[in-house]
Amino acid sequence: LQAFEALADIDTVVFDKTGTLTQDRVVLREVRVAPGWTVEAALQAAWPMSRASLHPVSRALAVAAQGQGAVAEPAGFDDVRDVPGGGLVLTGPEGAVWRLGSARHCGLDEAQLLADGLSVADTPCAYLSGPEGWVATFVMDEGVRADAAEAISALKASGVRIRLLSGDRLAAAQRVARQLGIEDVVA
């Protein structure tokens, strides 16, 4: 009974971001590809690596590749190596090296990718590089939960202050906060 009485005195609600206000998984929102490449071909090239990893971005890419029908098994590829904090590496026929992960891991200049319109600022992206360099940028999205905006709106209407607290990067937390009308963000 005391807990219910204390609820009447709540003036602030603090939400976590991932899995609370957003979906508990990332999804592929957009694919930007190098000239001569198609989205399907980029997903096909990423497939051997993405299917071998449990990382949320890899899982999203594997699902997207399956949805595009880009899941044929390539011949002549060696095992996928996981580079902690970077991404995945796959050695192909004749020693061709393919990388999937962060810009740095793929040997790419993220600032230059942004300047060239090949990446998106303040949005989670994974990159694919091959023997010729940059192949694709996979723009990811956490996706705000369908009921989150309604819950935030109802709490604000009742006079409750809303805060977003996240262990994620500030830019990622602010992106979700903007979508939901939350001004107070700690990341």
Side-chain angles (χ1 to χ4, degrees):
L1 186 58
Q2 290 175 337
F4 285 115
E5 289 174 353
L7 286 174
D9 294 329
I10 290 176
D11 62 356
T12 304
V13 174
V14 180
F15 285 96
D16 180 42
K17 180 179 68 66
T18 305
T20 305
L21 297 176
T22 65
Q23 298 175 24
D24 60 353
R25 64 192 181 287
V26 295
V27 295
L28 180 62
R29 183 177 83 197
E30 177 187 356
V31 181
R32 297 180 181 190
V33 296
W37 282 83
T38 64
V39 169
E40 185 177 272
L43 287 170
Q44 171 68 36
W47 165 252
M49 290 176 278
S50 64
R51 74 178 176 109
S53 173
L54 296 176
H55 190 280
V57 170
S58 291
R59 295 290 77 214
L61 291 175
V63 167
Q66 289 171 323
Q68 291 276 330
V71 294
E73 193 63 38
F77 282 83
D78 294 333
D79 290 333
V80 174
R81 284 187 303 115
D82 188 349
V83 177
L88 303 161
V89 179
L90 179 67
T91 303
E94 300 176 13
V97 176
W98 291 85
R99 295 178 180 274
L100 176 66
S102 69
R104 178 186 295 171
H105 170 74
C106 292
L108 305 170
D109 181 346
E110 193 166 16
Q112 189 61 52
L113 289 169
L114 281 168
D116 293 342
L118 304 176
S119 188
V120 180
D122 299 331
T123 302
C125 293
Y127 302 92
L128 175 66
S129 67
E132 304 299 319
W134 175 78
V135 173
T137 300
F138 301 104
V139 182
M140 311 309 289
D141 190 6
E142 288 178 284
V144 173
R145 288 177 48 150
D147 56 352
E150 183 180 339
I152 298 298
S153 182
L155 287 167
K156 282 182 163 183
S158 67
V160 174
R161 179 177 173 207
I162 306 297
R163 299 187 81 187
L164 175 61
L165 178 65
S166 177
D168 209 341
R169 294 175 302 144
L170 180 60
Q174 287 175 330
R175 186 178 57 257
V176 169
R178 278 191 304 272
Q179 292 175 5
L180 296 171
I182 300 172
E183 294 86 29
D184 197 358
V185 178
V186 177

